[in-house]
Amino acid sequence: MRFGMYLPIARDFADARVLAELASETEEAGWDGFFVWDHISLEPRGEPWEVADPWIALSAIAVATERIRIGPLVTPLARRRPAKVARETVTLDRLSGGRLVLGVGLGGDDRSDFSALGEDPDPRVRAEKLDEALDVVTGLWSGEPFSFEGKHFQIEQATFLPRPLQEPRIPIWVAGAWPRREPARRAARWDGMFPISPDWPRERLTPDDYRELREFIARDPFDLVFTTTWGHEGEPADIEAYEEAGVTWWLQEAQTIADARRRIAAGPPR
C-alpha cells in the first residue's frame, strides 16, 4: 500500500505557494503522493470560498518535488475542454518527470461549480461527457493523427506532440459511488478507482466494500484508493484490513494548514 496526502485548493489552501511547500514537506516525510481537489468555484451554504486553480497549483507542486506521485482528485471532465486537459496533463507529466496521475469523475452537486457557471448539472449528461472526454484526452495523448465525432465533443483532426513521458500513458483513476455498478464499469476501463460511499461524507466504505469492488473489477494491476473523509473526526483503525481487501493507496485529508503539517510530519501510517 502507498500513502499520500489529499488536500483542498480552497480557503487556507487557496495558495499555490503554500501547496507547493506542503508537497515538499510531504516528500521529505516519506509519503508517496500528494493530491489536490479540482474546483472552479465553491459556495457551500451560500458562502463563497477562496479557490486556487488546480493546474497552476500542480505545476508549482511538480517543481517543488522530485519523487512523489501528484495529481487532481478529481477533475470533472464535463466542465473542462478535453483538448485543453490533454495539453495540460502532458505538459504537467513532463514537468514532473512522469509522476502525474489523472483523477476524473462527474463532479459534485455544488451548484456554484456547475449550473451557476452555465454548465449542465444533469448527471447523465455529465457521464456522457466524461466518457467522450476520456476518449478524446487519451486519443490526443497518442501523438498520432486523431479524429473524434461524439454527441458533445468533436475533433476534426489533430496531432498533439509531445507525448506524455509515461508509457503506455498517464494513469487514470475514475471516481464513483460503490456499490453502483456503472461507475465501477467505467473505472475498469482504466487504471484505478477512487470509490466513495453513496452516503459520503457521512459514511466511509468498509474493507468488505473494497473486497466486493475488487472482485467486481477483476483486474490486476488496478489501483483502489481510500481516503479519510474531510471534516470527519477519527480514522479507521485497521489499515491492514483495507490493504488485505485490495486498497493500494491510502490518502490522508486535513482541514487546516496546521492540521496538514501535523499529519505530514507524523509520516505515513505504515
Side-chain angles (χ1 to χ4, degrees):
M1 183 185 286
R2 295 182 179 183
F3 299 90
M5 293 298 299
Y6 178 39
L7 297 180
I9 53 171
R11 299 203 299 184
D12 291 352
F13 299 94
D15 186 327
R17 290 187 184 89
V18 169
L19 289 167
E21 290 170 2
L22 291 172
S24 178
E25 293 169 17
T26 297
E27 186 168 80
E28 290 177 5
W31 296 76
D32 304 301
F34 190 91
F35 302 91
V36 297
W37 296 4
D38 180 345
H39 292 279
I40 293 178
S41 175
L42 279 172
E43 295 185 16
R45 297 176 296 279
E47 174 195 354
W49 284 6
E50 293 184 358
V51 177
D53 180 85
W55 301 107
I56 293 175
L58 284 165
S59 297
I61 290 164
V63 172
T65 57
E66 297 179 352
R67 174 186 59 80
I68 55 176
R69 281 275 177 183
I70 64 173
L73 287 181
V74 296
T75 291
L77 287 180
R79 61 160 169 70
R80 298 272 185 192
R81 300 297 298 178
K84 184 78 161 56
V85 171
R87 181 63 77 196
E88 290 166 337
T89 48
V90 168
T91 302
L92 188 52
D93 190 54
R94 299 179 74 86
L95 178 65
S96 68
R99 294 183 285 123
L100 179 66
V101 175
L102 176 59
V104 300
L106 269 64
D109 296 325
D110 192 319
R111 180 181 179 276
S112 64
D113 218 21
F114 272 92
S115 57
L117 301 176
E119 302 287 351
D120 192 334
D122 187 321
R124 290 185 178 86
V125 173
R126 284 190 277 169
E128 292 172 353
K129 288 182 176 180
L130 173 57
D131 288 330
E132 287 190 15
L134 282 168
D135 288 339
V136 171
V137 168
T138 53
L140 292 171
W141 282 350
S142 71
E144 302 293 333
F146 176 74
S147 302
F148 184 83
E149 185 65 34
K151 179 179 178 181
H152 301 283
F153 302 112
Q154 296 80 38
I155 302 289
E156 185 174 332
Q157 185 171 359
T159 304
F160 272 24
L161 293 173
R163 287 173 40 82
L165 280 183
Q166 297 183 77
E167 295 289 351
R169 54 172 167 71
I170 297 165
I172 294 173
W173 293 347
V174 180
W178 175 258
R180 296 172 188 163
R181 276 5 188 201
E182 191 52 40
R185 292 189 184 98
R186 177 180 294 112
R189 295 176 52 203
W190 305 102
D191 308 293
M193 185 171 181
F194 181 31
I196 60 173
S197 163
D199 198 24
W200 178 89
R202 287 179 292 273
E203 289 186 5
R204 296 185 179 103
L205 294 178
T206 67
D208 285 341
D209 293 324
Y210 276 94
R211 191 171 292 106
E212 292 171 2
L213 176 56
R214 171 67 71 182
E215 292 173 358
F216 182 83
I217 295 289
R219 278 194 52 203
D220 194 32
F222 188 85
D223 281 315
L224 285 181
V225 183
F226 175 91
T227 178
T228 58
T229 304
W230 195 73
H232 192 289
E233 295 299 325
E235 300 172 10
D238 198 349
I239 293 176
E240 289 185 1
Y242 281 89
E243 185 172 21
E244 290 171 0
V247 171
T248 61
W249 275 90
W250 176 284
L251 303 185
Q252 174 65 62
E253 301 192 70
Q255 293 193 69
T256 67
I257 292 174
D259 183 33
R261 286 207 154 100
R262 177 179 63 82
R263 293 175 185 271
I264 288 168
R270 301 190 188 281

